[in-house]
Amino acid sequence: MLWQGYNDDVVGFMDVKRDFLGILQDYVDFPVEEIAVDVPFKAASGVDSFMLMELVSALEDHFGITIPNRDLMGLKTAGDMIGYIEKRIAA
């Protein structure tokens, strides 16, 4: 399932998705729209552990949230990350 599989009618979803993809684009060398939401993130994006930490820092700064390492370990796919950010913003 690619990004188009998400329900874009959810209030605020498009902003999180769009912003996430924009930030992610700084860390990959291909169009981020090609990343499947249900494939393990590191395998789909090619982001290594160091880049992932930089990406998380950029996401935290942009969205004004904190993503603890214990939570990050459970975020396996890009879809997981977007859902997590949405929940943190809504909290």
Side-chain angles (χ1 to χ4, degrees):
M1 173 189 322
L2 296 177
W3 292 108
Q4 294 81 4
Y6 274 108
N7 180 356
D8 294 335
D9 296 329
V10 176
V11 175
F13 179 80
M14 285 301 294
D15 291 342
V16 172
K17 179 177 129 180
R18 182 196 65 227
D19 292 357
F20 175 84
L21 290 175
I23 293 167
L24 177 60
Q25 189 64 71
D26 292 338
Y27 296 89
V28 297
D29 294 328
F30 56 87
V32 292
E33 292 83 7
E34 295 177 6
I35 296 177
V37 295
D38 54 353
V39 173
F41 183 70
K42 285 184 180 181
S45 67
V47 171
D48 64 27
S49 296
F50 180 72
M51 289 189 313
L52 180 60
M53 296 314 295
E54 288 183 347
L55 172 62
V56 168
S57 179
L59 293 169
E60 289 175 330
D61 290 345
H62 180 80
F63 291 107
I65 61 172
T66 300
I67 305 173
N69 286 339
R70 68 180 180 280
D71 291 350
L72 183 60
M73 293 175 64
L75 304 175
K76 302 297 183 194
T77 67
D80 292 343
M81 294 181 87
I82 290 171
Y84 179 86
I85 292 167
E86 291 174 330
K87 288 178 186 174
R88 293 299 302 260
I89 290 172

Coordinates of all heavy atoms in Angstrom, one line a residue:
M1 N 0.9 -1.2 0.0 CA 0.0 0.0 0.0 C 0.9 1.2 0.0 O 1.8 1.4 0.8 CB -0.9 0.0 1.3 CG -1.7 1.2 1.4 SD -2.6 1.4 3.0 CE -3.1 -0.2 3.4
L2 N 0.7 2.1 -0.9 CA 1.4 3.4 -1.0 C 0.7 4.5 -0.2 O -0.4 4.3 0.3 CB 1.7 3.8 -2.4 CG 2.6 2.8 -3.2 CD1 2.7 3.2 -4.7 CD2 3.9 2.6 -2.6
W3 N 1.2 5.7 -0.2 CA 0.7 6.8 0.6 C -0.8 7.0 0.2 O -1.6 7.4 1.0 CB 1.5 8.0 0.3 CG 2.8 8.0 0.9 CD1 4.0 7.8 0.2 CD2 3.2 7.9 2.3 NE1 5.0 7.7 1.1 CE2 4.6 7.8 2.4 CE3 2.4 8.0 3.5 CZ2 5.2 7.8 3.6 CZ3 3.1 8.0 4.7 CH2 4.5 7.9 4.7
Q4 N -1.2 6.8 -1.0 CA -2.5 7.1 -1.4 C -3.5 6.2 -0.7 O -4.7 6.5 -0.7 CB -2.7 6.9 -2.9 CG -1.9 7.8 -3.8 CD -0.4 7.5 -3.9 OE1 0.0 6.4 -3.5 NE2 0.4 8.3 -4.6
G5 N -3.1 5.2 0.0 CA -4.0 4.3 0.7 C -4.6 4.9 2.0 O -5.5 4.3 2.5
Y6 N -4.1 6.0 2.4 CA -4.5 6.6 3.7 C -5.8 7.3 3.4 O -6.1 7.8 2.3 CB -3.5 7.6 4.2 CG -2.5 6.9 5.1 CD1 -1.2 6.8 4.6 CD2 -2.8 6.5 6.3 CE1 -0.2 6.2 5.4 CE2 -1.9 5.9 7.1 CZ -0.6 5.7 6.7 OH 0.4 5.2 7.4
N7 N -6.6 7.5 4.5 CA -7.9 8.2 4.5 C -7.5 9.7 4.7 O -7.2 10.1 5.8 CB -8.8 7.7 5.5 CG -10.1 8.5 5.5 OD1 -10.3 9.5 4.8 ND2 -11.0 8.1 6.4
D8 N -7.5 10.5 3.6 CA -7.1 11.9 3.7 C -8.2 12.8 4.3 O -8.1 14.0 4.4 CB -6.8 12.4 2.3 CG -5.5 11.8 1.8 OD1 -4.7 11.3 2.6 OD2 -5.3 11.7 0.6
D9 N -9.4 12.2 4.7 CA -10.5 13.0 5.2 C -10.3 13.3 6.7 O -11.0 14.1 7.3 CB -11.8 12.3 5.0 CG -12.2 12.2 3.6 OD1 -11.8 13.0 2.8 OD2 -12.8 11.2 3.2
V10 N -9.4 12.6 7.4 CA -9.1 12.8 8.8 C -8.6 14.2 9.0 O -7.7 14.6 8.3 CB -8.1 11.7 9.3 CG1 -7.8 12.0 10.8 CG2 -8.7 10.3 9.1
V11 N -9.2 14.9 9.9 CA -8.8 16.3 10.2 C -7.3 16.3 10.6 O -6.8 15.6 11.4 CB -9.7 16.9 11.3 CG1 -9.2 18.3 11.7 CG2 -11.1 16.9 10.9
G12 N -6.6 17.2 9.9 CA -5.2 17.4 10.2 C -4.2 16.3 9.6 O -3.0 16.5 9.7
F13 N -4.8 15.2 9.1 CA -3.9 14.2 8.6 C -3.0 14.6 7.5 O -1.8 14.4 7.5 CB -4.7 13.0 8.2 CG -3.8 11.9 7.6 CD1 -3.2 11.0 8.5 CD2 -3.6 11.7 6.3 CE1 -2.3 10.0 8.1 CE2 -2.8 10.7 5.8 CZ -2.1 9.9 6.7
M14 N -3.5 15.3 6.6 CA -2.7 15.7 5.4 C -1.5 16.6 5.9 O -0.5 16.5 5.3 CB -3.6 16.5 4.4 CG -4.5 15.6 3.6 SD -3.6 14.3 2.7 CE -2.7 15.3 1.5
D15 N -1.7 17.5 6.8 CA -0.6 18.3 7.3 C 0.5 17.4 7.9 O 1.7 17.7 7.6 CB -1.1 19.3 8.3 CG -2.0 20.4 7.7 OD1 -2.0 20.5 6.5 OD2 -2.7 21.0 8.5
V16 N 0.2 16.5 8.7 CA 1.2 15.6 9.3 C 1.9 14.8 8.2 O 3.1 14.7 8.2 CB 0.6 14.7 10.4 CG1 1.6 13.7 10.9 CG2 0.1 15.5 11.6
K17 N 1.1 14.2 7.4 CA 1.6 13.4 6.3 C 2.6 14.2 5.4 O 3.7 13.9 5.1 CB 0.5 12.8 5.5 CG 1.0 11.9 4.3 CD -0.2 11.3 3.6 CE -0.2 11.6 2.1 NZ -1.3 11.0 1.4
R18 N 2.1 15.4 5.0 CA 2.8 16.3 4.1 C 4.1 16.7 4.7 O 5.2 16.7 4.1 CB 2.0 17.5 3.7 CG 2.7 18.4 2.7 CD 2.1 19.8 2.6 NE 2.2 20.4 3.9 CZ 1.2 21.1 4.5 NH1 0.0 21.1 4.0 NH2 1.4 21.6 5.7
D19 N 4.0 17.1 6.0 CA 5.2 17.6 6.7 C 6.2 16.5 6.9 O 7.4 16.7 6.8 CB 4.8 18.3 8.0 CG 4.0 19.6 7.8 OD1 3.9 20.0 6.6 OD2 3.6 20.2 8.8
F20 N 5.7 15.3 7.3 CA 6.6 14.1 7.5 C 7.3 13.8 6.2 O 8.5 13.7 6.2 CB 5.7 12.9 7.9 CG 6.5 11.7 8.1 CD1 7.2 11.4 9.2 CD2 6.6 10.8 7.0 CE1 8.0 10.2 9.3 CE2 7.3 9.6 7.1 CZ 8.0 9.3 8.3
L21 N 6.6 13.8 5.1 CA 7.3 13.5 3.8 C 8.3 14.6 3.4 O 9.3 14.2 2.9 CB 6.2 13.4 2.7 CG 5.3 12.1 2.8 CD1 4.3 12.2 1.7 CD2 6.1 10.8 2.7
G22 N 7.9 15.8 3.7 CA 8.9 16.9 3.4 C 10.2 16.8 4.2 O 11.2 17.0 3.7
I23 N 10.0 16.5 5.5 CA 11.2 16.3 6.3 C 12.0 15.1 5.9 O 13.2 15.1 5.8 CB 10.8 16.2 7.8 CG1 10.2 17.6 8.2 CG2 12.0 15.8 8.7 CD1 9.5 17.6 9.6
L24 N 11.3 14.0 5.6 CA 12.0 12.7 5.2 C 12.7 12.9 3.9 O 13.8 12.3 3.7 CB 10.9 11.6 5.1 CG 11.4 10.3 4.6 CD1 12.5 9.7 5.5 CD2 10.3 9.3 4.4
Q25 N 12.2 13.7 3.0 CA 12.8 13.9 1.7 C 14.3 14.4 1.9 O 15.1 14.1 1.0 CB 12.0 14.9 0.9 CG 12.5 15.0 -0.6 CD 12.4 13.7 -1.3 OE1 11.3 13.3 -1.7 NE2 13.5 13.0 -1.6
D26 N 14.6 15.1 3.0 CA 15.9 15.6 3.2 C 16.9 14.5 3.5 O 18.1 14.7 3.5 CB 16.0 16.6 4.4 CG 15.2 17.9 4.1 OD1 15.1 18.2 2.9 OD2 14.8 18.6 5.0
Y27 N 16.4 13.3 3.8 CA 17.3 12.2 4.2 C 17.3 11.0 3.2 O 18.1 10.1 3.4 CB 16.8 11.6 5.5 CG 16.9 12.6 6.6 CD1 15.9 13.5 6.9 CD2 18.1 12.8 7.4 CE1 16.0 14.5 7.9 CE2 18.2 13.7 8.3 CZ 17.2 14.6 8.6 OH 17.3 15.6 9.6
V28 N 16.6 11.1 2.1 CA 16.6 10.0 1.1 C 16.9 10.6 -0.3 O 16.7 11.8 -0.5 CB 15.3 9.2 1.1 CG1 15.1 8.5 2.4 CG2 14.1 10.1 0.8
D29 N 17.3 9.8 -1.2 CA 17.7 10.2 -2.5 C 16.7 9.8 -3.6 O 17.0 9.7 -4.8 CB 19.1 9.6 -2.9 CG 20.2 10.2 -2.1 OD1 20.1 11.3 -1.6 OD2 21.1 9.4 -1.8
F30 N 15.4 9.6 -3.2 CA 14.4 9.2 -4.2 C 13.1 9.8 -3.7 O 13.0 10.3 -2.6 CB 14.3 7.7 -4.2 CG 14.0 7.0 -2.9 CD1 12.7 6.9 -2.4 CD2 15.1 6.6 -2.1 CE1 12.5 6.3 -1.2 CE2 14.8 6.0 -0.9 CZ 13.5 5.9 -0.4
P31 N 12.1 9.9 -4.6 CA 10.8 10.5 -4.2 C 10.2 9.7 -3.0 O 10.0 8.5 -3.1 CB 10.0 10.4 -5.4 CG 10.9 10.2 -6.6 CD 12.1 9.5 -6.0
V32 N 9.9 10.4 -1.9 CA 9.4 9.7 -0.7 C 8.0 9.1 -1.0 O 7.6 8.2 -0.2 CB 9.3 10.7 0.5 CG1 10.7 11.1 0.9 CG2 8.5 11.9 0.2
E33 N 7.3 9.5 -2.0 CA 6.0 8.9 -2.3 C 6.1 7.5 -2.6 O 5.1 6.7 -2.6 CB 5.3 9.7 -3.4 CG 4.9 11.1 -3.0 CD 6.0 12.1 -3.1 OE1 7.1 11.8 -3.6 OE2 5.8 13.3 -2.7
E34 N 7.3 7.0 -3.0 CA 7.6 5.6 -3.3 C 7.7 4.7 -2.1 O 7.7 3.5 -2.3 CB 8.9 5.5 -4.2 CG 8.8 6.2 -5.5 CD 10.1 6.1 -6.3 OE1 11.0 5.4 -5.8 OE2 10.1 6.8 -7.4
I35 N 7.7 5.3 -0.9 CA 7.9 4.4 0.3 C 6.5 3.9 0.6 O 5.5 4.6 0.8 CB 8.4 5.3 1.5 CG1 9.8 5.7 1.2 CG2 8.4 4.4 2.8 CD1 10.4 6.6 2.2
A36 N 6.4 2.6 0.8 CA 5.2 1.9 1.2 C 5.0 2.1 2.7 O 6.0 1.9 3.4 CB 5.2 0.5 0.8
V37 N 3.8 2.4 3.1 CA 3.5 2.7 4.5 C 3.6 1.4 5.4 O 3.7 1.5 6.6 CB 2.2 3.4 4.8 CG1 2.2 4.7 4.1 CG2 1.0 2.5 4.3
D38 N 3.5 0.2 4.8 CA 3.4 -1.0 5.6 C 4.7 -1.8 5.5 O 4.7 -3.0 6.0 CB 2.2 -1.8 5.2 CG 2.1 -2.1 3.7 OD1 3.0 -1.6 2.9 OD2 1.3 -2.9 3.2
V39 N 5.7 -1.3 5.0 CA 7.0 -1.9 4.9 C 7.9 -1.4 6.0 O 7.9 -0.1 6.2 CB 7.7 -1.7 3.5 CG1 9.1 -2.2 3.4 CG2 6.8 -2.3 2.4
P40 N 8.7 -2.2 6.6 CA 9.6 -1.6 7.7 C 10.4 -0.4 7.1 O 11.0 -0.4 6.1 CB 10.6 -2.8 8.0 CG 9.7 -4.0 7.7 CD 8.9 -3.6 6.5
F41 N 10.4 0.6 7.9 CA 10.8 1.9 7.5 C 12.3 1.9 7.1 O 12.6 2.5 6.0 CB 10.6 2.9 8.7 CG 11.0 4.3 8.3 CD1 10.3 5.1 7.4 CD2 12.2 4.9 8.9 CE1 10.7 6.4 7.1 CE2 12.5 6.2 8.6 CZ 11.8 6.9 7.7
K42 N 13.2 1.4 7.8 CA 14.6 1.4 7.5 C 14.8 0.7 6.2 O 15.6 1.2 5.4 CB 15.4 0.7 8.6 CG 15.6 1.6 9.8 CD 16.5 1.0 10.8 CE 16.7 1.8 12.0 NZ 17.7 1.2 13.0
A43 N 14.2 -0.4 5.9 CA 14.3 -1.2 4.7 C 13.8 -0.4 3.5 O 14.4 -0.3 2.4 CB 13.7 -2.5 4.7
A44 N 12.6 0.3 3.7 CA 12.0 1.0 2.6 C 12.7 2.3 2.3 O 12.7 2.7 1.1 CB 10.5 1.3 3.0
S45 N 13.3 3.0 3.3 CA 13.8 4.3 3.1 C 15.3 4.3 2.9 O 15.9 5.2 2.4 CB 13.5 5.2 4.3 OG 14.2 4.8 5.4
G46 N 16.0 3.2 3.4 CA 17.5 3.2 3.4 C 18.1 4.1 4.4 O 19.3 4.3 4.4
V47 N 17.3 4.6 5.3 CA 17.8 5.5 6.4 C 18.6 4.6 7.4 O 18.0 3.6 7.9 CB 16.7 6.3 7.1 CG1 17.1 7.0 8.3 CG2 16.1 7.2 6.1
D48 N 19.8 4.9 7.7 CA 20.6 4.2 8.7 C 20.3 4.7 10.1 O 19.5 5.7 10.2 CB 22.1 4.2 8.4 CG 22.7 5.6 8.5 OD1 22.2 6.4 9.2 OD2 23.7 5.8 7.8
S49 N 20.9 4.1 11.1 CA 20.6 4.5 12.5 C 20.9 5.9 12.8 O 20.2 6.6 13.5 CB 21.3 3.6 13.5 OG 20.8 2.2 13.3
F50 N 22.0 6.4 12.3 CA 22.4 7.8 12.5 C 21.5 8.8 11.9 O 21.0 9.7 12.5 CB 23.9 8.0 12.0 CG 24.3 9.4 12.3 CD1 24.6 9.9 13.5 CD2 24.4 10.3 11.2 CE1 25.1 11.2 13.8 CE2 24.9 11.6 11.4 CZ 25.2 12.1 12.7
M51 N 21.1 8.5 10.6 CA 20.2 9.3 9.9 C 18.8 9.3 10.6 O 18.1 10.3 10.6 CB 20.1 8.9 8.4 CG 21.3 9.3 7.6 SD 21.2 9.1 5.8 CE 20.4 7.5 5.6
L52 N 18.4 8.1 11.1 CA 17.1 8.0 11.8 C 17.1 8.9 13.0 O 16.1 9.6 13.3 CB 16.9 6.6 12.2 CG 15.5 6.3 12.9 CD1 14.4 6.7 12.0 CD2 15.4 4.9 13.3
M53 N 18.2 9.0 13.8 CA 18.2 9.9 14.9 C 18.1 11.3 14.5 O 17.5 12.1 15.2 CB 19.5 9.6 15.8 CG 19.5 8.2 16.4 SD 18.0 7.7 17.1 CE 17.9 8.8 18.5
E54 N 18.8 11.7 13.4 CA 18.7 13.1 12.9 C 17.2 13.3 12.4 O 16.7 14.4 12.7 CB 19.6 13.3 11.7 CG 21.1 13.3 12.2 CD 22.0 13.6 11.0 OE1 21.6 13.5 9.8 OE2 23.2 14.0 11.3
L55 N 16.6 12.4 11.8 CA 15.3 12.5 11.3 C 14.3 12.7 12.5 O 13.5 13.6 12.5 CB 14.8 11.3 10.5 CG 13.4 11.2 10.1 CD1 13.0 12.4 9.2 CD2 13.1 9.9 9.4
V56 N 14.5 11.9 13.5 CA 13.6 12.0 14.7 C 13.8 13.4 15.3 O 12.8 14.0 15.7 CB 13.9 10.9 15.7 CG1 13.3 11.1 17.0 CG2 13.4 9.5 15.1
S57 N 15.0 13.9 15.4 CA 15.2 15.2 16.0 C 14.5 16.3 15.2 O 13.9 17.2 15.7 CB 16.7 15.5 16.0 OG 17.0 16.7 16.6
A58 N 14.6 16.1 13.8 CA 13.9 17.1 13.0 C 12.4 17.0 13.1 O 11.7 18.1 13.2 CB 14.3 16.9 11.5
L59 N 11.9 15.8 13.3 CA 10.4 15.6 13.5 C 10.0 16.2 14.8 O 9.0 16.9 14.9 CB 10.1 14.1 13.4 CG 10.2 13.5 12.0 CD1 10.1 12.0 12.2 CD2 9.2 14.0 11.0
E60 N 10.8 16.0 15.8 CA 10.5 16.5 17.2 C 10.5 18.0 17.1 O 9.5 18.7 17.7 CB 11.5 16.0 18.2 CG 11.4 14.6 18.5 CD 12.5 14.1 19.5 OE1 13.6 14.6 19.4 OE2 12.2 13.1 20.2
D61 N 11.5 18.6 16.5 CA 11.5 20.1 16.4 C 10.3 20.6 15.6 O 9.7 21.6 16.0 CB 12.8 20.5 15.7 CG 14.0 20.3 16.6 OD1 13.9 20.1 17.8 OD2 15.2 20.4 16.1
H62 N 10.0 20.0 14.5 CA 9.0 20.5 13.6 C 7.6 20.4 14.3 O 6.8 21.3 14.2 CB 9.0 19.8 12.3 CG 7.9 20.2 11.4 ND1 8.0 21.4 10.6 CD2 6.7 19.7 11.1 CE1 6.9 21.5 9.9 NE2 6.1 20.6 10.2
F63 N 7.3 19.2 14.9 CA 6.0 19.0 15.4 C 5.8 19.4 16.9 O 4.8 19.3 17.4 CB 5.6 17.5 15.2 CG 5.3 17.2 13.8 CD1 6.2 16.4 13.1 CD2 4.2 17.6 13.1 CE1 6.0 16.0 11.8 CE2 4.0 17.3 11.8 CZ 4.9 16.5 11.1
G64 N 7.0 19.8 17.5 CA 6.9 20.2 18.9 C 6.6 19.1 19.9 O 5.8 19.2 20.8
I65 N 7.1 17.9 19.6 CA 6.8 16.7 20.4 C 8.2 16.1 20.8 O 9.2 16.4 20.2 CB 6.0 15.6 19.6 CG1 6.7 15.1 18.4 CG2 4.6 16.2 19.3 CD1 6.0 14.0 17.7
T66 N 8.1 15.1 21.7 CA 9.3 14.3 22.0 C 8.9 12.8 21.6 O 7.8 12.4 21.9 CB 9.6 14.4 23.5 OG1 9.8 15.8 23.8 CG2 10.8 13.5 23.9
I67 N 9.9 12.2 21.0 CA 9.7 10.8 20.7 C 10.8 10.0 21.5 O 11.9 9.9 21.1 CB 9.9 10.5 19.2 CG1 8.9 11.4 18.4 CG2 9.7 9.0 18.9 CD1 9.1 11.3 16.9
P68 N 10.4 9.4 22.6 CA 11.3 8.7 23.4 C 11.9 7.5 22.7 O 11.1 6.9 21.9 CB 10.5 8.3 24.7 CG 9.3 9.2 24.7 CD 9.1 9.5 23.3
N69 N 13.1 7.1 23.0 CA 13.7 5.9 22.3 C 12.8 4.6 22.5 O 12.7 3.8 21.6 CB 15.1 5.6 22.8 CG 16.1 6.6 22.3 OD1 15.9 7.3 21.3 ND2 17.2 6.8 23.0
R70 N 12.2 4.5 23.7 CA 11.4 3.3 23.9 C 10.2 3.3 22.9 O 9.8 2.2 22.5 CB 10.9 3.2 25.3 CG 10.0 4.3 25.8 CD 9.5 4.1 27.2 NE 8.6 5.2 27.6 CZ 8.9 6.4 27.9 NH1 10.2 6.8 27.9 NH2 8.0 7.3 28.2
D71 N 9.6 4.4 22.6 CA 8.5 4.5 21.6 C 9.1 4.3 20.2 O 8.4 3.6 19.4 CB 7.8 5.9 21.7 CG 7.0 6.0 23.0 OD1 6.9 5.0 23.8 OD2 6.6 7.2 23.3
L72 N 10.2 4.9 19.9 CA 10.8 4.8 18.6 C 11.0 3.4 18.2 O 10.8 3.0 17.0 CB 12.1 5.6 18.5 CG 12.8 5.7 17.2 CD1 11.9 6.3 16.1 CD2 14.1 6.4 17.3
M73 N 11.4 2.6 19.1 CA 11.7 1.1 18.9 C 10.4 0.4 18.4 O 10.5 -0.6 17.7 CB 12.3 0.5 20.1 CG 13.7 1.0 20.4 SD 14.3 0.3 21.9 CE 14.5 -1.4 21.5
G74 N 9.3 0.9 18.7 CA 8.0 0.3 18.3 C 7.5 0.8 17.0 O 6.5 0.3 16.5
L75 N 8.1 1.8 16.5 CA 7.6 2.4 15.2 C 8.4 1.8 14.1 O 9.5 2.2 13.7 CB 7.8 4.0 15.2 CG 7.2 4.7 16.4 CD1 7.6 6.2 16.4 CD2 5.7 4.5 16.4
K76 N 7.8 0.8 13.5 CA 8.5 0.0 12.4 C 8.3 0.5 11.0 O 9.1 0.3 10.2 CB 8.0 -1.5 12.5 CG 8.2 -2.1 13.9 CD 9.7 -2.2 14.2 CE 9.9 -2.9 15.5 NZ 11.2 -2.7 16.1
T77 N 7.2 1.1 10.7 CA 6.9 1.6 9.4 C 6.6 3.1 9.3 O 6.4 3.7 10.4 CB 5.6 0.9 8.8 OG1 4.5 1.3 9.6 CG2 5.7 -0.6 8.9
A78 N 6.7 3.6 8.1 CA 6.4 5.1 8.0 C 4.9 5.4 8.5 O 4.7 6.4 9.1 CB 6.5 5.5 6.5
G79 N 4.0 4.5 8.2 CA 2.7 4.6 8.7 C 2.6 4.7 10.2 O 1.8 5.5 10.8
D80 N 3.4 3.8 10.9 CA 3.5 3.9 12.3 C 3.9 5.2 12.8 O 3.4 5.8 13.8 CB 4.5 2.8 12.9 CG 4.0 1.4 12.7 OD1 2.8 1.1 12.4 OD2 4.9 0.5 12.8
M81 N 5.0 5.8 12.1 CA 5.5 7.1 12.6 C 4.5 8.2 12.4 O 4.3 9.0 13.3 CB 6.8 7.4 11.8 CG 7.9 6.4 12.1 SD 9.4 6.7 11.2 CE 10.2 7.9 12.4
I82 N 3.8 8.2 11.3 CA 2.8 9.2 11.0 C 1.7 9.1 12.1 O 1.3 10.1 12.7 CB 2.2 9.1 9.6 CG1 3.3 9.5 8.6 CG2 1.0 10.0 9.5 CD1 3.0 9.3 7.2
G83 N 1.2 7.9 12.3 CA 0.1 7.7 13.3 C 0.6 8.1 14.7 O -0.2 8.7 15.5
Y84 N 1.8 7.8 15.1 CA 2.4 8.2 16.4 C 2.4 9.7 16.5 O 2.0 10.3 17.5 CB 3.8 7.6 16.5 CG 4.4 8.0 17.9 CD1 4.2 7.2 19.0 CD2 5.2 9.1 18.0 CE1 4.8 7.5 20.2 CE2 5.8 9.4 19.2 CZ 5.6 8.6 20.3 OH 6.2 9.0 21.5
I85 N 2.9 10.4 15.5 CA 3.0 11.9 15.5 C 1.6 12.4 15.6 O 1.4 13.4 16.4 CB 3.7 12.4 14.2 CG1 5.1 12.0 14.3 CG2 3.5 13.9 14.1 CD1 5.9 12.2 12.9
E86 N 0.6 11.9 14.9 CA -0.8 12.4 15.0 C -1.3 12.3 16.4 O -1.9 13.2 16.9 CB -1.7 11.7 14.0 CG -1.4 12.0 12.6 CD -2.2 11.1 11.7 OE1 -2.6 10.0 12.0 OE2 -2.5 11.6 10.6
K87 N -1.0 11.2 17.0 CA -1.5 10.9 18.4 C -0.8 11.9 19.4 O -1.5 12.4 20.3 CB -1.3 9.5 18.9 CG -2.2 8.5 18.2 CD -1.9 7.1 18.6 CE -2.8 6.2 17.8 NZ -2.5 4.8 18.0
R88 N 0.5 12.1 19.2 CA 1.2 13.0 20.1 C 0.7 14.4 20.0 O 0.6 15.2 21.0 CB 2.7 12.9 19.9 CG 3.4 11.6 20.2 CD 3.2 11.2 21.7 NE 3.8 12.2 22.6 CZ 5.0 12.1 23.2 NH1 5.7 11.1 23.0 NH2 5.4 13.1 24.0
I89 N 0.4 14.8 18.8 CA -0.1 16.2 18.5 C -1.4 16.4 19.2 O -1.7 17.4 19.7 CB -0.1 16.5 17.0 CG1 1.3 16.6 16.5 CG2 -0.9 17.8 16.8 CD1 1.4 16.7 15.0
A90 N -2.3 15.3 19.0 CA -3.7 15.4 19.6 C -3.7 15.4 21.1 O -4.7 15.8 21.7 CB -4.5 14.3 18.9
A91 N -2.7 14.8 21.7 CA -2.7 14.6 23.2 C -2.6 15.9 23.9 O -2.1 16.9 23.5 CB -1.5 13.7 23.6

